[in-house]
């Protein structure tokens, strides 16, 4: 298979004459000047010239910041999974994958079914998050709260949520 474009361009950048700004040194990517990298180098190899975007791509491919404090301080990146310190091994790295779409769907289904079970116990559908926020909020004044006759048999958070809806607060 073909190497990802980012890794190809990264390898090219590290082999070109940019050693004063960025270099490959014993299995590490050393960024000597993030400001210069952003201003003079990145745009030659990528569609952007943002150091933060470059860092994000490094993270996607398993590199972790090892040294350097602050966003634009000199730093180095290492990938613990590299088989050797040879620069050509960069071209064989696989991009990290997130949870698959089907796994996300399964997780969302579990969350929906558990929240549905808890809300099925009452006949009125009230967003429990909104009710909790409004319950603690000082926006709902006790003077405008529904009377006890209006809320007889209703849990307090439902009465607060209904009062908020009556005041035009959308959820």
């Amino acid at each position: 298979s073909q190497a990802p474009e980012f890794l190809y361009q990264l390898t090219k950048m590290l082999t070109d004459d940019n050693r004063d700004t960025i270099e490959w040194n014993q299995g590490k990517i050393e960024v000597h000047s993030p400001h210069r990298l952003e201003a003079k180098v990145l745009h030659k190899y990528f569609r952007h010239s943002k150091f933060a975007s470059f860092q994000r791509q490094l993270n996607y491919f398993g590199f972790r910041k090892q040294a350097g404090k602050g966003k634009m301080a000199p730093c180095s990146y290492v990938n613990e999974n590299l088989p050797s310190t040879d620069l050509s091994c960069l071209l064989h790295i696989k991009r990290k994958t997130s949870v698959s779409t089907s796994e996300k769907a399964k997780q969302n289904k579990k969350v929906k079914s558990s929240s549905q079970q808890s809300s099925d116990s009452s006949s009125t559908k009230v967003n429990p998050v909104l009710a909790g926020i409004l319950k603690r909020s000082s926006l709902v004044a006790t003077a405008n709260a529904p009377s006890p006759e209006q809320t007889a048999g209703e849990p307090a958070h439902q009465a607060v949520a209904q009062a908020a809806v009556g005041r035009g607060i959308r959820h």
Side-chain angles (χ1 to χ4, degrees):
S1 72
Q2 194 175 6
E5 184 67 18
F6 173 77
L7 296 176
Y8 174 77
Q9 294 297 336
L10 176 63
T11 304
K12 190 174 172 190
M13 182 171 55
L14 292 168
T15 55
D16 287 350
D17 187 26
N18 297 309
R19 293 186 71 98
D20 60 331
T21 306
I22 186 170
E23 70 177 317
W24 179 258
N25 186 5
Q26 298 178 356
K28 292 181 190 173
I29 297 172
E30 294 185 356
V31 180
H32 303 299
S33 174
H35 290 285
R36 196 173 2 185
L37 184 69
E38 203 173 62
K40 308 257 187 219
V41 179
L42 287 177
H43 69 90
K44 295 177 186 175
Y45 302 94
F46 305 105
R47 289 180 299 224
H48 63 80
S49 60
K50 293 186 173 116
F51 185 63
S53 297
F54 177 70
Q55 287 179 305
R56 189 177 311 114
Q57 286 295 315
L58 287 173
N59 290 335
Y60 283 143
F61 286 97
F63 284 91
R64 292 290 164 247
K65 194 173 189 179
Q66 192 177 44
K69 298 285 184 201
K71 290 182 180 178
M72 297 297 280
C75 54
S76 61
Y77 293 87
V78 67
N79 185 327
E80 304 287 335
N81 299 321
L82 289 179
S84 74
T85 59
D86 184 32
L87 181 59
S88 65
C89 70
L90 285 180
L91 297 173
H92 303 289
I93 297 174
K94 299 287 184 222
R95 185 175 168 147
K96 291 185 340 183
T97 57
S98 63
V99 178
S100 70
T101 307
S102 61
E103 287 296 316
K104 285 182 183 175
K106 287 179 188 175
Q107 290 173 353
N108 286 341
K109 204 173 201 180
K110 286 180 186 177
V111 170
K112 282 183 181 177
S113 68
S114 66
S115 66
Q116 203 170 23
Q117 288 172 355
S118 64
S119 67
D120 285 347
S121 60
S122 69
S123 60
T124 308
K125 300 279 184 188
V126 175
N127 183 332
V129 174
L130 174 65
I133 291 169
L134 292 172
K135 186 175 182 180
R136 288 181 225 86
S137 171
S138 62
L139 292 175
V140 180
T142 54
N144 291 340
S147 67
E149 302 84 44
Q150 291 173 322
T151 60
E154 288 183 22
H157 69 273
Q158 286 180 347
V160 172
Q162 288 173 347
V165 170
R167 296 175 135 229
I169 300 172
R170 294 174 40 178
H171 61 287

